[in-house]
Amino acid sequence: MSQSEFEKYLEELGIHLTNIQKEQLESYYELLVEYNKVMNLTGITEHDEVYLKHFYDSLTLARVCDLTKEISLCDIGTGAGFPGMVLKIVFPNLRVTLVDSLNKRIDFLKVVAEKLGIYNIEFISSRAEEYAIKNRECFDIVTCRAVASLPMLLEYSIPLVKVDGYFISMKGSKREEEESRRALDLLSCQIEKVDSFSLPKEKSMRTLYIIKKLEKTSSKYPRKFADIKKKPL
């Protein structure tokens, strides 16, 4: 996906980039490639692939929620900053918290924020389940772009969500509603919408689960699971 195609497909999502945002995304790409030489940030480094599979994919969250509002958003297992850093660049009104278990990834994201002039963003080096224990009901939206199962992601994420807030899970093509029913009941939340679509050009499938939190989460959640292994979708 070339930059011109990227901008065209974003406009179909109702997103119109400023010149500054275009420059920030390009600088982000350059930093990603530079730092990827010395640490494992991503297996995708080719320019057009990053714009499609990382930048555009991160912004598909705009398909299912209004990101122009003044809302708090937490990205758990953020890795190299997808989707949270991309969302913050394009929607600077968001109050974004990026959580990852590896301090070197958090250090990279701090460099990105400094180089790009991004402020009002929080960086947390912590396991997702440990952060959730200490920060319950803090966020309007929690999101995660990871390959862990949806029931496990629910146990990490729902405790962080405010009552009547949302967890939005960014997944591949596999549908996981049935295997998540017990976790949904235990955590007092419900799937409001499932949005399945294909990425432009290559047509790989994506699924967004929009899950609303109905009641406060019991103190026994989240349980101590192994940390999410962040991998590209």
Side-chain angles (χ1 to χ4, degrees):
M1 175 182 282
S2 67
Q3 283 178 280
S4 60
E5 290 173 323
F6 174 68
E7 292 167 25
K8 170 193 168 186
Y9 285 114
L10 285 188
E11 287 177 358
E12 293 178 1
L13 293 178
I15 298 172
H16 305 277
L17 299 178
T18 66
N19 288 332
I20 290 175
Q21 289 168 335
K22 294 174 189 178
E23 292 170 3
Q24 287 176 320
L25 287 170
E26 185 62 16
S27 296
Y28 188 6
Y29 166 74
E30 292 170 358
L31 288 166
L32 179 70
V33 172
E34 178 185 347
Y35 277 76
N36 200 60
K37 294 174 183 177
V38 295
M39 66 176 72
N40 182 24
L41 293 170
T42 178
I44 300 170
T45 57
E46 198 276 325
H47 186 273
D48 288 4
E49 291 289 287
V50 169
Y51 268 77
L52 173 62
K53 295 182 179 179
H54 286 329
F55 292 173
Y56 178 84
D57 193 22
S58 293
L59 291 165
T60 59
L61 209 67
R63 292 173 57 94
V64 295
C65 59
D66 183 358
L67 297 172
T68 64
K69 296 180 179 179
E70 297 289 331
I71 55 178
S72 56
L73 181 144
C74 180
D75 176 15
I76 64 169
T78 189
F82 310 124
M85 181 63 80
V86 181
L87 292 170
K88 179 62 178 176
I89 291 169
V90 176
F91 299 98
N93 52 287
L94 297 175
R95 301 189 302 278
V96 172
T97 298
L98 303 179
V99 179
D100 197 88
S101 63
L102 291 184
N103 193 57
K104 64 181 182 179
R105 291 181 187 145
I106 292 297
D107 288 342
F108 164 71
L109 293 170
K110 288 178 179 177
V111 171
V112 172
E114 181 181 358
K115 296 286 188 183
L116 274 55
I118 296 172
Y119 306 100
N120 298 321
I121 184 169
E122 187 175 14
F123 305 94
I124 303 294
S125 179
S126 173
R127 290 182 177 273
E129 68 271 26
E130 292 171 359
Y131 182 70
I133 289 170
K134 300 174 183 177
N135 295 273
R136 307 174 77 83
E137 273 92 33
C138 287
F139 297 96
D140 299 307
I141 295 175
V142 175
T143 189
C144 184
R145 183 175 177 260
V147 295
S149 69
L150 186 56
M152 182 180 288
L153 293 176
L154 286 166
E155 292 210 50
Y156 283 132
S157 303
I158 290 298
L160 290 164
V161 182
K162 296 177 181 178
V163 175
D164 292 328
Y166 290 89
F167 169 52
I168 304 177
S169 180
M170 307 180 77
K171 305 281 286 178
S173 59
K174 181 183 176 184
R175 299 294 292 262
E176 301 180 42
E177 293 96 321
E178 286 301 320
E179 65 190 74
S180 303
R181 289 190 181 281
R182 185 169 183 273
L184 289 165
D185 290 341
L186 289 171
L187 293 160
S188 299
C189 53
Q190 66 182 21
I191 297 175
E192 283 207 344
K193 183 179 180 181
V194 179
D195 182 27
S196 294
F197 58 95
S198 58
L199 290 182
K201 296 181 71 70
E202 68 157 28
K203 304 301 181 184
S204 59
M205 291 300 299
R206 294 290 185 266
T207 304
L208 301 178
Y209 290 93
I210 302 87
I211 297 166
K212 186 174 183 178
K213 181 169 179 173
L214 304 175
E215 299 175 5
K216 283 186 174 290
T217 309
S218 168
S219 60
K220 67 181 179 179
Y221 295 104
R223 297 186 291 215
K224 292 284 185 176
F225 290 108
D227 193 46
I228 294 173
K229 302 299 183 184
K230 187 69 179 183
K231 300 177 183 177
L233 287 173

